[in-house]
Amino acid sequence: MSPRPFSCIAIALLLASCHAPTAREAAPPRAEDAARAATAGIDDARLRAAAGEPRNWLTHGGTYAEQRYSPLEQITADNVGQLGLAWFYDTHTNRGLEATPLVADGVLYTT
């Protein structure tokens, strides 16, 4: 067998494996890109009106007034004893966490 047919087969296989990735094969978005997209709707006007979005906690103190008060009424002095652990995240550190988490549109952000 001459080397020519083998070379043609090898080249054909090599070319067949060289294709542009489809959307399904493309790399997942970087974490920075995903965070930027998720927070794109948060601007100064929304932060100034944060008191009108009690389900969110958009700034360090909840609003620019920094009162650290939530007007939500689902948890009361009568039912607080019924609360339990719903989920947790292991930070793999022995240090305390001292940052106030932010919540925007159902996503919790912390540092």
Side-chain angles (χ1 to χ4, degrees):
M1 179 175 207
S2 71
R4 188 172 187 158
F6 176 75
S7 299
C8 292
I9 293 171
I11 291 171
L13 289 174
L14 180 64
L15 291 174
S17 67
C18 296
H19 68 281
T22 63
R24 176 177 263 175
E25 296 170 325
R30 296 181 337 183
E32 296 86 3
D33 295 336
R36 189 173 295 110
T39 58
I42 300 175
D43 58 10
D44 188 57
R46 189 169 176 196
L47 292 175
R48 290 180 188 276
E53 297 185 46
R55 69 190 177 285
N56 290 315
W57 197 264
L58 299 178
T59 69
H60 177 73
T63 67
Y64 277 151
E66 296 289 325
Q67 296 298 309
R68 296 180 178 270
Y69 171 78
S70 171
L72 298 177
E73 298 175 348
Q74 188 176 5
I75 299 171
T76 67
D78 296 330
N79 67 17
V80 70
Q82 299 170 17
L83 294 177
L85 180 65
W87 65 271
F88 75 96
Y89 176 78
D90 189 351
T91 60
H92 304 287
T93 181
N94 293 327
R95 296 193 58 204
L97 300 177
E98 301 172 13
T100 298
L102 303 177
V103 177
D105 304 321
V107 179
L108 179 91
Y109 299 89
T110 191
T111 59

